[in-house]
Amino acid sequence: MDGPPLPEAARPEDAASSISPDADTLRQVATQLVNNLDLHQCSVKECRAKIAAACGLERDGLEARKDEINILIQEVVASLDAKKSSQPSSCCEELGVESKNPRRAYLVTLSHTDKEEGADGQKLVPPGTYTRMEVRDFFLGALLSTQANRDQPLAFTSMAVFQERHATGQIHYHVALSADKCFRFAPLKRHLLAAHGLASHWSGKTDGYAGCIAYCYLPSPTKAVEELDPTPELWPSNHPPLSEASRGSVSAQKLEAHREDQRRKRAGKGKAEQRVREVDLWPIIVRENILPDEVCAEKLMAYAKRSGGQALVEFCFANWDKLPGIVAKSWKTEKVEDLVAAASQSRLEILEGACSAPCTCTGQWACFADAILSQNDHDPVEWRKAVRDSLVGGRSKGTLVCHAGFEGNEGKSFLFRPLPLVFGEDNVFVTPPKSAFPLLGLEKARVVWLDDWRFNEEIVSWAVQLLWFEGASFVIARPQNLYSGHLRYVKDDPLFITTLQSDLHALKGKLKQGDLDMMVKRLKLFEFKQKVTIPSHVAKGCGSCFAHFILGPGLQTRVLRSEAAKRGATPSGETPEPKRMMCLSWTVDDVCTYIADLELGHVVAAFRDNAVDGRMLASLSETDLVSELGLKPLQARKVKDRLT
């Protein structure tokens, strides 16, 4: 503490002789502290703690004499104010130069003053003159009055007005304030002083608005619960409860910074680094981009040996088998907001969103898909509709798309391989292994893909399969040492199956022909006989091309128009090329589907009779559509507009 030395009896080294300081000593100590500290902004308890510490006592060493100390503090403060009555007021802090890094959230203190004017002659008003609601309105009015001088409009998002009392019993305010962007406070500070006589001090907290709320809401060693404002003014009306608003957001970066801060503090006390917890690996995994693959544990240990220190090495060594799960859990935590957003989307919306994903096959997946379907005598339009109906309607009798091959390598799995790319691997339940609980995890999926499924009872009983495939509810068995009870499955997640013809129609075990007939009725069956060779980079699947292929021309156009709108395209067609290029690959059936989707079904026959494919459609003018294909002028404009 700067300033003149404390009285001899109050020095810490003389604590043994100052266990019960007399009144004169206490007055000297209090006077010295008032000269060096701003007790106007300290609570009564904090003032007592500072005096006790200066006297060489524990912080609560004067609690037994608190009434005496309280009176003493008031007398000392009043005496100091009387001595300074002829001096210029310092309550009005000079604005000075603001930080070059303005904040979004501030803690504003409106300190009490007994002065009527500041050093510049500006009128000063004690904050206690105003109510909490008036203070709130003053800040909102200051924002409105200073908008014209800002480059961009500013909006307050949250505000909380807390009323507290000085050691002298006078009122002061703390205002926690948050805005929609970083801003400089000087104009607001000047307005509050000029319009309402309120001198203000603006500061920030490392935790932003949450830190400002916590300062006013949570007790501390120097501020008891009873000294806090029990009824602060909160704005707006949907302001979150203070129990939530006082807790800041958590991110991997903040968690890592907090652990490092704790490590340094412990080192300062001669203590070793605290033990590593699973959550402490989250920042490392994200920062080092350690993905949940077959060598993720090795990558973590390599980092630990290189830069993580002994504590991290010991953790990885002791928890080696758990590391892949921790990596997967860390990435789920990092992307949890995206996962929640995806969970609120319909399957069709997810499919539409995949249209904007980058193509990974140079546009070849759709060509192979079309060829595979055509050479097996399946109409691509019919297959697309079957898959789309299953995704939209979910599981029910007759909507389960099943590919049945004869020998293998017919491309039946190739057509479904993009499903995990579109919906995410964690959201696609795949063929389970034989176990006591084969369907465990099914409840978390959005789509089911049973690749190379065997229609027998080795994995799932026939009765459960019939219920599952027809859309009825059934019970998923769960291990009772990990769960309480079993789970009734009622979701409508669609199923897609690949199998062999011989397996689908063969009688196995106790199954009878009637059992097989009931199963076939639940399937939308597509048979595949022709073998196909697919390049490896195409065989992996392409989520973008799959989405475009399934949606078909009409829905593709709707999705692309939505994407163009997000990019700011105008109705005049500033971004027509992606749609026009897509149109060029359409078959005659695709064009007919597109025309029907525009509710122009009465002219579909004309398009089919004239073999209008995508390339021809792109070349036709509105005049051609009217004169050659029987459309009316406005209908022709509609056809061309939807392409651009």
Side-chain angles (χ1 to χ4, degrees):
M1 180 174 64
D2 298 332
L6 294 172
E8 291 294 328
R11 292 182 181 174
E13 58 265 28
D14 297 327
S17 62
S18 60
I19 294 177
S20 180
D22 56 30
D24 291 338
T25 300
L26 289 174
R27 182 174 293 277
Q28 293 179 47
V29 173
T31 302
Q32 182 65 62
L33 288 172
V34 168
N35 282 320
N36 293 329
L37 301 171
D38 186 6
L39 293 187
H40 288 78
Q41 296 190 36
C42 293
S43 66
V44 176
K45 187 175 181 179
E46 186 176 359
C47 292
R48 291 196 302 269
K50 290 181 180 293
I51 294 174
C55 290
L57 304 175
E58 296 293 332
R59 293 183 64 86
D60 59 353
L62 294 175
E63 289 301 299
R65 302 171 62 183
K66 61 182 180 180
D67 292 337
E68 175 189 351
I69 303 300
N70 292 350
I71 295 174
L72 176 63
I73 293 171
Q74 294 181 28
E75 291 176 350
V76 171
V77 172
S79 175
L80 179 64
D81 287 343
K83 291 180 180 179
K84 294 182 177 181
S85 59
S86 60
Q87 300 177 6
S89 170
S90 60
C91 290
C92 180
E93 177 184 323
E94 292 296 325
L95 291 176
V97 179
E98 285 193 90
S99 168
K100 294 183 179 179
N101 299 309
R103 301 172 179 268
R104 288 184 58 183
Y106 290 93
L107 179 64
V108 187
T109 301
L110 307 178
S111 300
H112 173 74
T113 177
D114 290 324
K115 307 300 178 291
E116 295 183 358
E117 292 184 353
D120 56 358
Q122 179 67 53
K123 176 184 177 182
L124 296 177
V125 177
T129 306
Y130 304 116
T131 65
R132 299 177 184 84
M133 293 181 64
E134 287 175 326
V135 171
R136 176 204 66 190
D137 293 340
F138 291 162
F139 275 83
L140 295 175
L143 174 65
L144 184 62
S145 299
T146 58
Q147 288 285 33
N149 297 325
R150 299 186 182 276
D151 294 335
Q152 294 181 337
L154 179 71
F156 289 157
T157 56
S158 301
M159 182 178 4
V161 182
F162 295 83
Q163 184 187 90
E164 295 184 5
R165 293 185 179 275
H166 296 147
T168 59
Q170 300 294 341
I171 290 176
H172 69 278
Y173 284 101
H174 291 302
V175 181
L177 193 64
S178 176
D180 62 346
K181 61 176 68 69
C182 294
F183 69 97
R184 299 188 180 278
F185 61 77
L188 298 170
K189 181 170 184 173
R190 284 193 291 264
H191 180 88
L192 291 171
L193 183 61
H196 309 291
L198 291 173
S200 58
H201 174 77
W202 296 63
S203 61
K205 296 291 182 180
T206 55
D207 287 341
Y209 186 69
C212 298
I213 292 290
Y215 178 84
C216 305
Y217 169 67
L218 298 177
S220 68
T222 58
K223 187 184 293 186
V225 174
E226 57 268 17
E227 297 174 17
L228 301 173
D229 188 350
T231 57
E233 177 66 25
L234 304 181
W235 180 91
S237 59
N238 62 347
H239 189 288
L242 295 180
S243 58
E244 295 180 10
S246 58
R247 290 185 171 94
S249 61
V250 178
S251 66
Q253 293 80 4
K254 289 183 179 180
L255 191 69
E256 187 170 36
H258 176 73
R259 179 177 175 83
E260 183 62 18
D261 181 61
Q262 294 299 310
R263 185 169 79 100
R264 291 168 61 88
K265 289 181 178 179
R266 290 173 66 88
K269 298 177 181 178
K271 296 182 179 181
E273 180 180 1
Q274 64 192 85
R275 290 185 176 183
V276 176
R277 305 163 300 168
E278 287 189 12
V279 71
D280 294 322
L281 272 64
W282 168 30
I284 297 171
I285 290 167
V286 172
R287 173 164 44 80
E288 297 297 315
N289 197 32
I290 299 176
L291 301 178
D293 53 29
E294 63 277 2
V295 292
C296 60
E298 287 80 0
K299 292 177 182 177
L300 258 178
M301 179 58 88
Y303 170 83
K305 291 175 62 179
R306 182 177 70 252
S307 308
Q310 182 175 342
L312 184 57
V313 170
E314 291 177 354
F315 178 88
C316 291
F317 191 91
N319 297 275
W320 185 270
D321 293 338
K322 296 181 181 179
L323 294 182
I326 295 174
V327 172
K329 187 161 48 177
S330 296
W331 281 110
K332 284 185 177 180
T333 302
E334 181 67 16
K335 300 179 179 180
V336 67
E337 292 83 5
D338 295 335
L339 296 175
V340 171
S344 65
Q345 290 182 300
S346 69
R347 290 182 290 267
L348 185 60
E349 287 173 335
I350 295 175
L351 188 67
E352 291 175 346
C355 288
S356 59
C359 174
T360 60
C361 66
T362 64
Q364 297 183 60
W365 187 92
C367 297
F368 276 92
D370 192 276
I372 290 171
L373 291 167
S374 298
Q375 69 185 14
N376 284 282
D377 298 325
H378 298 308
D379 184 353
V381 174
E382 180 185 353
W383 183 84
R384 286 199 301 253
K385 184 178 184 303
V387 174
R388 190 165 62 241
D389 289 347
S390 183
L391 289 172
V392 173
R395 64 185 178 106
S396 62
K397 185 181 295 186
T399 65
L400 194 161
V401 180
C402 179
H403 293 174
F406 283 79
E407 296 180 2
N409 295 322
E410 301 102 342
K412 56 185 183 297
S413 297
F414 167 80
L415 294 170
F416 291 147
R417 193 159 290 131
L419 286 171
L421 301 176
V422 172
F423 294 94
E425 291 187 2
D426 291 340
N427 294 321
V428 177
F429 184 84
V430 296
T431 307
K434 186 177 181 179
S435 69
F437 309 100
L439 299 183
L440 193 63
L442 173 62
E443 71 280 2
K444 299 178 181 179
R446 300 293 303 275
V447 173
V448 178
W449 177 27
L450 301 180
D451 193 25
D452 199 23
W453 183 250
R454 294 292 178 260
F455 285 91
N456 55 40
E457 296 187 292
E458 290 184 3
I459 298 178
V460 180
S461 71
W462 195 260
V464 170
Q465 289 186 59
L466 290 175
L467 293 173
W468 186 10
F469 297 165
E470 75 171 13
S473 65
F474 59 93
V475 174
I476 297 177
R478 302 191 297 185
Q480 295 306 287
N481 61 328
L482 299 176
Y483 299 91
S484 176
H486 300 296
L487 175 69
R488 178 163 292 279
Y489 180 76
V490 296
K491 295 176 63 183
D492 69 344
D493 302 325
L495 295 99
F496 302 94
I497 296 179
T498 64
T499 189
L500 293 175
Q501 274 282 1
S502 57
D503 192 77
L504 177 60
H505 295 289
L507 292 174
K508 298 172 285 290
K510 298 180 180 180
L511 296 180
K512 299 180 180 180
Q513 187 61 44
D515 297 322
L516 297 180
D517 293 341
M518 285 193 294
M519 180 62 71
V520 172
K521 290 180 180 179
R522 286 157 171 75
L523 310 177
K524 181 71 174 178
L525 197 60
F526 292 85
E527 295 183 348
F528 292 81
K529 301 178 181 179
Q530 304 297 324
K531 293 183 179 295
V532 63
T533 301
I534 304 172
S536 58
H537 73 284
V538 180
K540 295 178 181 179
C542 176
S544 177
C545 289
F546 175 83
H548 282 296
F549 191 77
I550 297 300
L551 290 173
L555 289 175
Q556 282 181 19
T557 302
R558 186 185 77 184
V559 172
L560 288 173
R561 290 185 70 85
S562 175
E563 292 174 356
K566 293 178 182 177
R567 295 193 301 267
T570 65
S572 60
E574 294 177 5
T575 57
E577 280 307 306
K579 305 169 197 174
R580 179 180 174 84
M581 293 300 295
M582 182 187 303
C583 162
L584 298 179
S585 65
W586 289 355
T587 64
V588 174
D589 287 337
D590 291 335
V591 171
C592 291
T593 300
Y594 168 68
I595 297 299
D597 286 341
L598 296 181
E599 298 181 358
L600 299 174
H602 63 288
V603 294
V604 166
F607 278 80
R608 189 176 297 280
D609 291 343
N610 287 278
V612 179
D613 58 12
R615 188 173 296 276
M616 179 184 291
L617 179 62
S619 67
L620 293 174
S621 66
E622 292 184 20
T623 302
D624 294 333
L625 292 172
V626 172
S627 60
E628 301 297 331
L629 293 167
L631 278 75
K632 295 181 179 179
L634 289 179
Q635 295 172 342
R637 182 186 301 177
K638 181 179 182 181
V639 170
K640 300 299 289 185
D641 282 350
R642 295 298 170 86
L643 289 175
T644 57

